[in-house]
Amino acid sequence: EHNYSTTKRVSWLGGLFLRDSPLTERGRSQASRLGEELRSDEEHPLRQVEVVISSPLSRAIETSLLIFGEEAQPPRCISHLHTERCIFPCDTGRTSEELLRKFSCLEQWEGFSQLPTEWWPKDRSIWQEVTPRDRVDTFRRYLAQRSEAVLAVVGHAGFFGELAGKHMSNCETLWLDLDPADASV
């Protein structure tokens, strides 16, 4: 969770105007709890994951690391195709160089070397980002062409709402079947 505060009633609103908002303490707690469940339960369904694909927003990277750890397995991938709807400054990311300074492990992640310096959506109207159907369709095609059968995608509620037709809570797991023939969900 980002832009949420238990101490100030309006701080979430101010957080909308912070570039690349980090996870809050509450968000770190939620992700850490899911990571602990995964590590302590040999039968946890997330143990089937063959690759973890994260948005390049810092809060998604941090969530990925807290849930799946910094180990090399399952392999990690970064993709700007499913970043949050870019409406507020909190949805504008850090450059790839800034991300690498903050998360040195990214150098080993698939896709990081191809990440554009400024990877977030630009030159789009607010209406294109409120309902980013074109970006969702591109991301679904990207997922459908991957060779792995079970993928974990760590991203953002606004984008996932468009992808899955459901608003997701923080650290919620939602299993979707994607048809590789036409990338439909």
Side-chain angles (χ1 to χ4, degrees), residues 75-91:
R76 308 306 156 83
C77 177
I78 197 157
S79 171
H80 67 287
L81 297 175
H82 71 291
T83 191
E84 180 61 292
R85 299 172 301 170
C86 198
I87 297 170
F88 294 103
C90 64
D91 303 322

Side-chain angles (χ1 to χ4, degrees), residues 32-42 44 47:
S32 294
R33 187 171 38 254
L34 182 55
E36 289 167 13
E37 290 171 15
L38 172 61
R39 285 182 285 286
S40 66
D41 181 357
E42 291 294 323
H44 198 288
R47 287 187 176 263

